[in-house]
Structure formats: C-alpha cells, structure tokens
Amino acid sequence: MALQLGVKAPDFQAMTTEGPLNFYQWAGDNWVILFSHPKDFTPVCTTELGYLAGMKSEFEKRHCKIIGLSVDSIDDHKRWSADIAETQGHMLNFPLIADLDRKVANLYGMIHPMANDTLTVRSVFIMDPAKVIRLMITYPASTGRDFNEILRVLDSLQLTAKYQVATPVNWRQGDDVIIVPSLDDKAAKAKFPEGWKTVKPYLRLVHQPGRKAA
Ligand code: BEZ
C-alpha cells in the first residue's frame, strides 16, 4: 500500500552513524521524526542538520526521537558531521542512516525521479508511538525546512491525539483551539465544563486543554 497518513510505517534495518538498527526497536514507544536530505557536504543540508541538532532537546521533551537519511556512506556522514559542528555550532546528536542501496528511501518514497533520480528529496515523516504515519511533507532540494514548523505540528498532533480538538491557522502552544465538529454541544459541555466561545455553530473556540493558566 502507498504510504499515506494513518498507514503503519514500514519497519526496516539500516546502518547508521550510531551503528546498525532496527527501526521499530530503535523507536520504542516514542514519537519519531524520520527525514531525508539530498546529499552530504551540501550547503542547505549543512544548515538544516546543524539547526535540528541544536533543537533536539525540544523534541526529547515531547518524547520524540529524530533520525535522518541520505544515500551517502557512513564515512561521508561522519566526515561531514565535523563540518556541521564547525560551521553550525552543533554536533550531530541523532543517527543518520547511510542508505547506499536506497532500500529505505524506496520504501518511504523519498526518491522523486522527476526531481532527481538518484538523490532523496527533503521528506519529513512523523510517526506516533504506534508507528502510524501522522504527517508527510516533501520539500524540494533547494528549500531548507523550517524545523520549528515541524515541532509546531508535533505539538498539534500530540494535543489533538489526547483531546477532541483541532488547531486553527498559525496555532501556537497556549493559543485557543477548536472543538471538533463531531462533538455536539452537549458532549462538549462534559469535556469542556468551563465553556467556550461560539463564533459560528461549527467554529467553537476553547482554551487549550491541559495547559496551566499563566
Ligand atoms: C543543499 O543541501 O544545499 C542542496 C542539496 C542538493 C541540491 C541542492 C542543494
């Protein structure tokens, strides 16, 4: 089956900068970000990986592990990581898969032949603790990702997995959220006894549940 949201992520074995791993075992019961980059020793990728290493603690706070991938070798990954540390100020602190035979890249559809038939594009997947794919985004090689946006989506996914809410445009932690339309007012009253603001019958805003008042 083609990879889509809601589908169980395929398991794999891979060689990484932190040794061989089995994806499911490595992930355990954490959330996971699996991302690909086109090539080692390239400028955009250097900035992306350094930045992501610098914000790893934010993902850890959310019980989310990070793993990267390209079709380069372990040796290249390791030599390049010295450049990342030197130029971006952060040592790589998550595993990078050396997918020389493109096995994982093909499994996850990370090679888009009309863009480039040998290199991976900038794919991002978020998996939940049950290994279900909850987000897929694809960026072209020429556009560096905004990993703060990936963190924002992770926050939204974790919140909406726990409460019957959705997050509105440009939502940030602490902003009001939307009561899902499938919850009628009677059921919403039980879930949100402190009330909500009805903008339209289908647009009901409520304070972010589970968040301590400032
Ligand atoms: C980069 O990371 O700078 C890059 C990689 C492949 C194509 C274009 C840019």
Side-chain angles (χ1 to χ4, degrees):
M1 184 197 278
L3 294 190
Q4 294 179 344
L5 302 191
V7 165
K8 192 144 184 188
D11 198 10
F12 57 82
Q13 312 280 339
M15 184 52 78
T16 80
T17 46
E18 297 182 7
L21 62 72
N22 167 268
F23 178 57
Y24 277 20
Q25 274 174 12
W26 171 83
D29 59 1
N30 296 283
W31 290 73
V32 170
I33 295 197
L34 167 66
F35 73 97
S36 57
H37 66 273
K39 199 161 175 49
D40 294 358
F41 300 103
T42 51
V44 177
C45 301
T46 301
T47 61
E48 281 192 323
L49 271 72
Y51 190 86
L52 189 53
M55 65 186 295
K56 184 187 167 194
S57 61
E58 288 301 321
F59 289 95
E60 280 175 338
K61 278 187 216 160
R62 292 156 173 87
H63 306 286
C64 182
K65 295 179 90 170
I66 300 170
I67 187 162
L69 175 150
S70 77
V71 298
D72 300 284
S73 66
I74 293 288
D75 191 45
D76 277 352
H77 283 344
K78 289 192 170 165
R79 283 191 304 116
W80 181 42
S81 68
D83 289 358
I84 294 173
E86 179 195 328
T87 62
Q88 309 303 309
H90 297 287
M91 289 286 292
L92 273 193
N93 48 16
F94 48 81
L96 271 191
I97 296 169
D99 195 31
L100 284 169
D101 60 3
R102 303 179 207 161
K103 194 181 68 187
V104 181
N106 286 329
L107 199 57
Y108 278 79
M110 292 166 164
I111 293 180
H112 294 205
M114 298 303 279
N116 187 305
D117 59 3
T118 54
L119 303 178
T120 44
V121 289
R122 296 186 200 281
S123 298
V124 185
F125 294 85
I126 300 183
M127 273 66 101
D128 69 16
K131 320 282 183 302
V132 172
I133 298 174
R134 303 295 303 275
L135 168 116
M136 299 166 64
I137 320 183
T138 308
Y139 297 74
S142 51
T143 302
R145 285 161 283 209
D146 180 349
F147 284 106
N148 291 299
E149 166 61 4
I150 307 301
L151 190 67
R152 191 192 74 87
V153 179
L154 179 63
D155 279 343
S156 171
L157 286 169
Q158 293 186 341
L159 183 73
T160 59
K162 197 162 170 194
Y163 301 99
Q164 283 176 289
V165 296
T167 56
V169 60
N170 295 338
W171 174 82
R172 294 281 183 285
Q173 280 286 5
D175 290 352
D176 285 353
V177 297
I178 291 169
I179 300 173
V180 291
S182 57
L183 208 62
D184 65 21
D185 279 356
K186 190 166 167 237
K189 187 77 196 156
K191 298 261 179 202
F192 307 106
E194 283 161 20
W196 60 85
K197 180 180 166 197
T198 301
V199 181
K200 288 279 177 192
Y202 57 82
L203 176 52
R204 296 166 296 171
L205 295 172
V206 69
H207 292 313
Q208 179 179 334
R211 190 165 170 100
K212 291 192 194 90

